[in-house]
Amino acid sequence: MNIALLGVSGRVGSRLLAELLRRGHRVTGIARDTGKLAGQPGLVLKNADAGQPAQLAPLLAGHDAVISALKFASTDAAALLAAVKQAGVTRLLVVGGAATLEVAPGHMLLDAPGFPAAYRPEAEGGRRFLDALRGEHELDWTFLSPSAEFVPGERTGKFRLGTDQLLSDANGKSWISMEDYAIALVDELETPKHSRRRFTVGY
């Protein structure tokens, strides 16, 4: 497939890039500054501001899907959705956050007592983005939330999928490596099972 990857230079974006290329997809990697990234077979790099639809849309045109690995705190959901639609791309997959997952029926992690203040701007941005997607009826979107601890690690291929509830392992730890997260997202790209839905991945 021909994939446009927004945020290719970030920690998650770089792992998604590796997984996409590993599976033979062609990738247009987009970031504000791709100057530090090395060229690879199957990869085309483009500089663009995701907040400028007129600048971004031409770079997205002609792709089978767009994957966004952008930070929510600095991303305008409306502008990004507009650019994807202007480009004529119908499929959008979003690297989500864990904060909107439920820790009890009807109670998000974001609203739990003691949620770290340092993470709140990004978490609130993620909630706004997910709300925007849930009101979106033109695009075929998917929002994949990681577990609470989302860190670089190993690519094991062994993980569980869930829906709107935070996943935890047998010891009560909620976590997923960025490498295994990338597997789950590219699996969804290749074999869609969560159209216009959010899901989650964890150990």
Side-chain angles (χ1 to χ4, degrees):
M1 298 172 72
N2 197 17
I3 307 301
L5 175 58
L6 302 172
V8 65
S9 60
R11 293 200 305 169
V12 184
S14 62
R15 286 159 175 87
L16 285 166
L17 173 62
E19 188 66 29
L20 289 163
L21 294 178
R22 174 196 289 265
R23 302 198 199 186
H25 298 291
R26 298 177 303 280
V27 180
T28 300
I30 301 171
R32 285 180 177 163
D33 182 7
T34 60
K36 294 181 180 179
L37 298 180
Q40 300 180 58
L43 171 65
V44 174
L45 294 170
K46 299 287 185 179
N47 293 335
D49 182 349
Q52 303 293 328
Q55 181 185 122
L56 183 60
L59 302 183
L60 303 181
H63 291 86
D64 297 305
V66 174
I67 298 175
S68 172
L70 299 170
K71 290 185 181 300
F72 293 120
S74 56
T75 299
D76 181 337
L80 179 55
L81 296 178
V84 175
K85 287 187 274 193
Q86 286 175 26
V89 179
T90 58
R91 191 135 183 254
L92 172 66
L93 296 96
V94 178
V95 175
T100 53
L101 292 168
E102 292 184 347
V103 292
H107 296 278
M108 294 183 187
L109 178 62
L110 173 57
D111 297 324
F115 186 86
Y119 298 151
R120 187 163 291 279
E122 181 68 10
E124 292 283 6
R127 173 153 57 186
R128 288 192 298 271
F129 202 109
L130 181 56
D131 286 345
L133 288 175
R134 285 173 168 162
E136 171 58 51
H137 303 295
E138 292 181 50
L139 298 175
D140 181 5
W141 60 268
T142 299
F143 186 100
L144 176 54
S145 289
S147 292
E149 189 176 336
F150 189 28
V151 292
E154 294 183 35
R155 183 184 186 275
T156 70
K158 299 176 181 178
F159 47 78
R160 294 181 294 143
L161 300 181
T163 53
D164 290 315
Q165 290 74 42
L166 187 73
L167 295 175
S168 300
D169 65 16
N171 298 316
K173 183 178 180 181
S174 176
W175 69 298
I176 187 71
S177 74
M178 292 177 178
E179 289 77 4
D180 279 340
Y181 177 97
I183 294 176
L185 189 67
V186 180
D187 284 350
E188 178 68 22
L189 170 72
E190 295 177 342
T191 308
K193 295 180 179 177
H194 301 86
S195 178
R196 294 192 172 94
R197 289 169 58 198
R198 183 261 292 281
F199 73 115
T200 188
V201 57
Y203 296 125

